[in-house]
Amino acid sequence: MGRAVAVAAIPLGTSVASWSRACSTSSRWTRISSGDPKVPVLYQVERTRTGSSFSVRSVKAVQHGKPIFICQASFQQAQPSPLQHQFSMPTVPPPEELLDSEALIDQYLRDPNLQKRYPVLLNKIAAQEVPIEIKPVNPPTLSQLQRMEPKQMFWVRAQGYIGEGDMKMHCCVAAYISDYAFLGTAMLPHQCQHKVHFMVSLDHSMWFHAPFRADHWMLYECESPWAGGSRGLVHGRLWRRDGVLAVTCAQEGVIRVKPPVSESKL
């Protein structure tokens, strides 16, 4: 869903192009049905409201004549305010001191104590082509994989150079980044007991607080406060390296696991 969401954000931003200093304040995507990666997506934009300070735009993504998801975004003209506060950024090692996901997976695969079921999953993750760089913070050891909390942090940035450019473009890239491994946070305490059969996002919301560069390292802090009823809820925060909270995210998704295999009593 991350790629479709990022692409959908482009026509949304274009519809307020006359606002030279406008930035997206919030956006929410709701999945209606699964998309077909082999078929082009038609994005239909509606100018829901245009005000002097805030504007609202809606977009519907359509395939085969039917909507696959809808999105509503708010845009605001830049305005100063004396009312400001934020949480403190977690204290973590800088990205230069950490292994990237590829090196970390290679390290796991070389461990002679790795359980037989893990190599297939790790090789599947390594084979994915992801246009972002990822460096997990405090990656778990093999023994810790069996008792993880529903929390994780990693440094992320887009591969390549984007430049200063339009802030709306960095918001599009951040929308893609925010979807990566986000819902999987809810599975961390259960990954040794259950195998995922089906996992997909239902709702994905973002709130943009401060300017940022998506091609610069940002800390992605993810946590899942709740899971149940075949659903999982996750919250996330994207921090700039200077400690400024740039983006807040929330996502709810369907998580269905494979039924346990009963052992034969014969």
Side-chain angles (χ1 to χ4, degrees), residues 10-257:
I10 296 175
L12 285 172
T14 304
S15 69
V16 290
S18 60
W19 284 17
S20 59
R21 299 185 63 205
C23 65
S24 176
T25 60
S26 65
S27 54
R28 178 181 179 181
W29 294 266
T30 302
R31 178 188 293 271
I32 298 175
S33 63
S34 298
D36 185 347
K38 298 178 181 179
V39 177
V41 180
L42 174 64
Y43 294 97
Q44 300 174 343
V45 180
E46 176 186 327
R47 289 174 168 82
T48 310
R49 178 183 184 274
T50 301
S52 58
S53 298
F54 290 87
S55 284
V56 179
R57 299 291 185 264
S58 302
V59 65
K60 182 189 299 183
V62 179
Q63 281 186 331
H64 303 294
K66 298 180 180 180
I68 57 173
F69 74 83
I70 55 177
C71 171
Q72 187 174 78
S74 297
F75 296 86
Q76 179 190 16
Q77 291 275 29
Q79 297 176 350
S81 171
L83 183 65
Q84 296 185 20
H85 76 264
Q86 65 163 55
F87 284 173
S88 297
M89 178 180 175
T91 301
V92 298
E96 291 79 13
E97 297 180 6
L98 300 173
L99 296 176
D100 61 25
S101 55
E102 292 182 2
L104 190 60
I105 288 174
D106 184 65
Q107 188 179 84
Y108 283 144
L109 291 173
R110 292 175 183 273
D111 194 313
N113 297 317
L114 184 67
Q115 295 183 24
K116 292 182 179 179
R117 57 179 170 178
Y118 285 122
V120 175
L121 175 62
L122 291 172
N123 281 313
K124 184 178 180 180
I125 295 173
Q128 295 176 350
E129 294 186 8
V130 183
I132 54 177
E133 297 181 63
I134 305 150
K135 291 194 173 185
V137 176
N138 298 323
T141 62
L142 292 178
S143 60
Q144 292 173 332
L145 287 173
Q146 300 182 19
R147 53 180 189 278
M148 292 183 65
E149 288 188 86
K151 298 179 180 180
Q152 60 179 339
M153 290 188 289
F154 31 86
W155 289 99
V156 292
R157 69 177 177 184
Q159 291 185 358
Y161 176 79
I162 299 176
E164 295 290 342
D166 189 341
M167 185 60 207
K168 301 186 198 75
M169 179 56 67
H170 289 279
C171 289
C172 294
V173 178
Y176 179 90
I177 290 175
S178 70
D179 192 52
Y180 178 79
F182 197 24
L183 189 55
T185 308
M187 274 300 299
L188 293 179
H190 315 287
Q191 57 188 353
C192 288
Q193 292 80 28
H194 303 282
K195 291 184 178 179
V196 174
H197 172 65
F198 181 77
M199 183 163 64
V200 66
S201 171
L202 291 172
D203 254 297
H204 189 106
S205 299
M206 301 180 71
W207 295 266
F208 299 92
H209 312 305
F212 61 90
R213 288 274 300 270
D215 54 351
H216 287 181
W217 286 114
M218 291 190 292
L219 179 67
Y220 197 13
E221 180 187 10
C222 306
E223 59 186 6
S224 174
W226 175 87
S230 295
R231 306 192 319 277
L233 176 67
V234 287
H235 296 158
R237 289 182 281 270
L238 276 167
W239 300 89
R240 293 188 336 206
R241 290 195 68 166
D242 59 0
V244 172
L245 179 59
V247 185
T248 298
C249 312
Q251 188 178 78
E252 185 183 41
V254 174
I255 304 178
R256 296 194 177 105
V257 297

